[in-house]
Structures are given as C-alpha cells and as structure tokens.
Amino acid sequence: MGSIYLYNNRFLSAEEVAISPEDRGYYYGDGIYEVFRVYNGRLFEPGLHFDRLERTAAGLRLNLPMDRSALLEKLEELVLRNRLNEGTLYIQFTRGAAPRSLPFPKEAEPSLMAYTTEVARPVAAMEAGIRAKTVEDIRWLHCDYKTLNLLPNVLAKQEAVEAGTDDAILHRGGTVTECSASNIMIVRDGVILTHPADNLILHGVTRAVVLRLAHAAELAVLERPFTLEELLGADEAFITGTTVEVTPVVSVDGQAIGSGAAGPVTRRLQRDFAAAIGL
Ligand code: PDD
C-alpha cells in the first residue's frame, strides 16, 4: 500500500488518518467507492469512473465534496506522491460522522478517503484462467450503485474460496448476473453474451471498454441475460474488471467451459485490451 493517504482535503500517513467511530460508513455501510487502475502512472478511463461515481452519489443522495476536475487533480497528486507506476487507487466517500440514527444527519459532512496499492497485472490468471463456483445472487435491487455494502459479495467469494475455486459467479434464479467483483461474458456460436447494464449488475468500466473493443473488432455482441445452462454449455467464458482485466473462466462447478482453456475470442480481447492500455 502506498504510504500516503488522501483524507478529506489532506495528504496524510496512515497514523494521521483519524476516522470517527461515528462514521456512517461503519454503522450502515452508508457510502460509495471506486477502484481505478493505474497504468504507467496514469489513471485508466477516469471519465468512466467519475460518471459512475456521480451516478452512485446521486442515487444515494450523497453530496460529493468536490467536482470531478478538483477530484481528478487530487487523485493524480496522490498517485504522484506515492510514486505509483502500476497498481490501483481506491477511493471512498461516506455520508460522514453523526450519532447513530437512520435519517440523513443535517450537519454531517461527507468524508473522503483514498489510497494507492502497487499491484502487477494478473498475468498468471489471465494466461491460465480461473475456476468458478455458482452462487445465488442475494443482493438488493441497485447493484448498479457502487456502495460500501458488499456483504453478499464477501459471502459469495468466501463460499467460492472454501469450495477450492477462485471466484463466485452470481445468478438470480438461474439467470447469470455478474461475479463477486467483476462482470462476466460468454461466447456461444461466435456471439458474445453479457447481462445488460441495468439495475442488477455493476456497470463495469472494463465491461464498457471490452464491449467497445469487441465492436471495433466486428465481433457480434448481444447484451442480454443468459442462464446457468447457457454458461455451462458456452464455447468460452471470461470475466472483466479493473483488477482482473480480461480473465478466462475455464471451469464452472467443476465442469470445463469449452475446451477447458481460454478460447480465441477471449485471447483476441485480451490482446486488444493490452493495446488499449498502451502495452
Ligand atoms: N470491483 N461487478 C462488481 C460487483 C464489482 O465489484 C466490480 C469491480 C465490477 C467490475 O467493474 P470495473 O470494470 O469498473 O472494475 C463488476 C472493484 C474492482 C472492487 O470492488 O474491488
């Protein structure tokens, strides 16, 4: 982790960050967040992340303490101060500190906390692929908001790990939505299928970039829900996300997907994604 944090308007060490025990982030998970990728010292697709941050803030009626240009400046400074070349930047806003009571507190000011982490691209998983377990999606009906409430994601991921797999693929009554911290796409008969960007999934920045690359490569794409059966019978499956980029899913519930190794569409999108990040 980078040694310098951004806390409200100041750059501080971890010891200097003093978070109130009454912060609503603790009581209620009353807050929102973003995870940016940093490649070559630069934030990847900041505009798409800010669009989502502002949409989430509006949905939760949480007033962001600064506009996007001021925020971008601060985040770029955080990356510089931590001398981060390759990694992630985490930022969260909570509704602030106030005695525990459900209604929005009148006086509380939203609080901001951000830090960076040095992390390499997940090259091993992108090469070999991951094994996944299907888990019922028990989340609320605003999975499009990127909020701090991640308990269903925590439980799903834990269940997947305890079953000896790498990640959880979530489904609502047999309809695949997304994964514990990424979106999912499958390929069937040359067509890429992925759940539409509605209220049941997070509108992933990587998902949007990959769909843009698929269109540019003239690959057929259908944004429509697909079932667990369609997943298990798919030619290819892969997940997309800030921390996983484009990672193949090679087995689900112990059953091989397609050939049991990354397929040609996945490999093509991995190459195009690497080109998009300037590699
Ligand atoms: N998670 N779906 C969920 C539930 C997620 O939590 C994420 C990202 C994604 C992918 O979105 P993006 O491509 O914008 O990263 C999809 C971040 C990385 C996290 O919680 O750590």
Side-chain angles (χ1 to χ4, degrees):
M1 199 178 278
S3 57
I4 299 166
Y5 287 68
L6 174 62
Y7 183 56
N8 295 328
N9 234 337
R10 297 163 66 204
F11 294 97
L12 303 171
S13 67
E15 300 74 46
E16 290 170 317
V17 174
I19 294 171
S20 166
E22 291 199 316
D23 194 291
R24 289 171 65 96
Y26 284 126
Y27 286 142
Y28 301 128
D30 188 358
I32 68 181
Y33 78 107
E34 278 294 326
V35 183
F36 295 74
R37 197 70 170 83
V38 175
Y39 294 115
N40 296 320
R42 305 205 46 191
L43 294 168
F44 182 62
E45 296 285 351
L48 292 179
H49 283 282
F50 286 126
D51 287 346
R52 185 169 64 193
L53 183 71
E54 288 168 3
R55 243 190 103 247
T56 300
L60 269 63
R61 296 165 60 199
L62 194 150
N63 297 319
L64 293 175
M66 45 182 124
D67 67 22
R68 72 164 70 185
S69 65
L71 188 56
L72 180 60
E73 216 171 277
K74 287 278 181 211
L75 298 188
E76 285 175 340
E77 188 174 346
L78 184 67
V79 169
L80 268 179
R81 282 179 180 249
N82 281 310
R83 297 196 179 85
L84 182 69
N85 188 48
E86 182 129 314
T88 55
L89 185 154
Y90 176 89
I91 180 168
Q92 70 170 43
F93 295 89
T94 74
R95 208 180 297 277
R100 184 176 181 277
S101 174
L102 285 171
F104 296 170
K106 288 207 173 60
E107 261 96 66
E109 293 284 330
S111 89
L112 177 176
M113 189 275 288
Y115 63 85
T116 62
T117 305
E118 203 178 313
V119 35
R121 298 179 60 221
V123 281
M126 287 194 295
E127 184 50 39
I130 60 160
R131 293 157 305 152
K133 180 184 192 304
T134 57
V135 178
E136 181 78 36
D137 188 345
I138 58 164
R139 297 175 301 166
W140 70 333
L141 296 176
H142 259 305
C143 302
D144 50 331
Y145 295 159
K146 202 161 174 62
T147 83
L148 298 182
N149 289 115
L150 291 175
L151 269 179
N153 309 57
V154 169
L155 292 174
K157 179 78 176 195
Q158 186 62 22
E159 188 177 328
V161 169
E162 284 176 3
T165 63
D166 303 298
D167 204 359
I169 295 174
L170 307 178
H171 68 92
R172 282 191 198 263
T175 297
V176 176
T177 49
E178 58 182 333
C179 297
S180 71
S182 57
N183 294 110
I184 183 165
M185 303 191 185
I186 61 172
V187 183
R188 286 178 66 93
D189 304 322
V191 181
I192 299 169
L193 300 177
T194 195
H195 198 286
D198 59 15
N199 63 313
L200 298 181
I201 66 161
L202 189 79
H203 304 185
V205 167
T206 321
R207 175 187 181 280
V209 171
V210 166
L211 291 181
R212 196 167 78 203
L213 296 171
H215 289 302
E218 295 184 351
L219 298 169
V221 176
L222 261 183
E223 291 183 62
R224 71 138 168 96
F226 58 87
T227 63
L228 283 174
E229 254 180 358
E230 288 178 298
L231 165 66
L232 290 168
D235 303 316
E236 302 179 38
F238 57 92
I239 59 174
T240 67
T242 293
T243 48
V244 298
E245 297 190 3
V246 177
T247 292
V249 178
V250 293
S251 79
V252 175
D253 295 341
Q255 197 176 310
I257 301 299
S259 66
V265 173
T266 309
R267 289 293 186 223
R268 166 78 201 258
L269 290 168
Q270 286 182 320
R271 278 198 301 277
D272 292 354
F273 191 82
I277 61 181
L279 295 172

